[in-house]
Amino acid sequence: AQSVAQPEDQVNVAEGNPLTVKCTYSVSGNPYLFWYVQYPNRGLQFLLKYITGDNLVKGSYGFEAEFNKSQTSFHLKKPSALVSDSALYFCAVPGPGTYKYIFGTGTRLKVLA
Amino acid sequence: ETGVTQTPRHLVMGMTNKKSLKCEQHLGHNAMYWYKQSAKKPLELMFVYNFKEQTENNSVPSRFSPECPNSSHLFLHLHTLQPEDSALYLCASSQFDLQGDTEPLHFGNGTRLTVT
């Protein structure tokens, strides 16, 4: 069965420092992996996806994610965090049908000024 | 207007009430979804409609009743809810590609439901 795990409930980082939000996956076949962000009182917004090709995927708002097949990980990264990046981040993988998504439990990112 | 619009943004209802949540997408997508987001729980997929046909009912209690009259509109009819049904209900849409490409979900801002 497809699944993703986000091992950290919360990540704190100082503004200007690099940030990493972790995600590991378990899929059968080739993995399709997604990151979404949820700001307060809003729905989820798509950030980026990995389908195939380069292991480093670039997305919106300066975020990127590194696909690592040997470690079955797809960590979200940003070189320099902003206070406005504070939000809830979700890793996701399509389920048994390509139109169904399985989400991780979410990681709350707090960027401290 | 673009994107996915959900109304109302907030709803308070008693356990004996009947209410409906509305979702409209202006993206030309062919699949629509209802998700439930509760505090400290993973996002729960409730229903999926693909080309207006319900293709997924994820063991949702019958007090939740979805309706998809066309590919742009999705409703969630609520009746005799329980306090534990209080949550953020999110609607989403996507373009399901018959060739198997996986497109991202586009979410509305949700309806915050409180059952008293």
Side-chain angles (χ1 to χ4, degrees):
Chain A
Q2 318 287 78
S3 67
V4 288
Q6 295 181 245
E8 301 159 317
D9 288 340
Q10 182 159 320
V11 170
N12 295 330
V13 64
E15 188 176 28
N17 282 3
L19 69 87
T20 299
V21 182
K22 295 180 180 177
C23 172
T24 58
Y25 66 88
S26 174
V27 302
S28 53
N30 293 325
Y32 293 170
L33 298 160
F34 293 73
W35 275 103
Y36 289 82
V37 60
Q38 185 178 29
Y39 297 103
N41 301 314
R42 302 294 295 273
L44 281 70
Q45 294 179 37
F46 168 70
L47 272 181
L48 52 80
K49 69 178 180 182
Y50 172 83
I51 301 296
T52 187
D54 288 341
N55 290 341
L56 189 64
V57 180
K58 293 192 183 296
S60 306
Y61 311 122
F63 283 92
E64 56 191 26
E66 186 172 11
F67 172 70
N68 188 316
K69 188 173 182 179
S70 62
Q71 297 185 5
T72 61
S73 67
F74 188 55
H75 299 335
L76 182 70
K77 300 183 178 188
K78 188 173 183 182
S80 178
L82 300 172
V83 172
S84 56
D85 293 328
S86 298
L88 193 54
Y89 290 81
F90 292 92
C91 181
V93 62
T98 56
Y99 47 84
K100 294 191 296 185
Y101 289 79
I102 296 167
F103 286 85
T105 50
T107 298
R108 188 164 299 282
L109 173 68
K110 277 196 173 181
V111 181
L112 307 169
Chain B
E1 191 173 349
T2 59
V4 180
T5 304
Q6 289 187 245
T7 54
R9 289 297 310 274
H10 301 271
L11 178 63
V12 179
M13 61 185 288
M15 289 191 284
T16 58
N17 290 160
K18 288 185 180 182
K19 296 285 184 184
S20 296
L21 309 185
K22 179 182 175 183
C23 176
E24 184 174 0
Q25 60 100 356
H26 307 272
L27 300 168
H29 289 162
N30 54 23
M32 296 188 77
Y33 312 71
W34 281 116
Y35 279 88
K36 177 183 178 183
Q37 186 176 27
S38 305
K40 302 189 188 293
K41 283 188 172 182
L43 209 59
E44 299 174 49
L45 177 63
M46 300 176 72
F47 301 104
V48 181
Y49 277 82
N50 198 16
F51 296 103
K52 300 187 295 177
E53 299 295 323
Q54 185 176 320
T55 55
E56 182 79 11
N57 177 339
N58 212 24
S59 303
V60 179
S62 59
R63 57 186 183 269
F64 295 92
S65 174
E67 179 190 359
C68 188
N70 55 61
S71 58
S72 299
H73 292 86
L74 185 65
F75 295 89
L76 188 62
H77 303 300
L78 317 171
H79 64 97
T80 58
L81 294 191
Q82 305 298 311
E84 60 265 27
D85 297 322
S86 298
L88 182 67
Y89 288 85
L90 292 165
C91 174
S93 70
S94 73
Q95 184 61 21
F96 176 60
D97 190 322
L98 291 172
Q99 294 175 333
D101 286 343
T102 303
E103 293 301 316
L105 297 173
H106 295 254
F107 285 85
N109 287 328
T111 294
R112 174 70 63 187
L113 174 67
T114 303
V115 181
T116 60

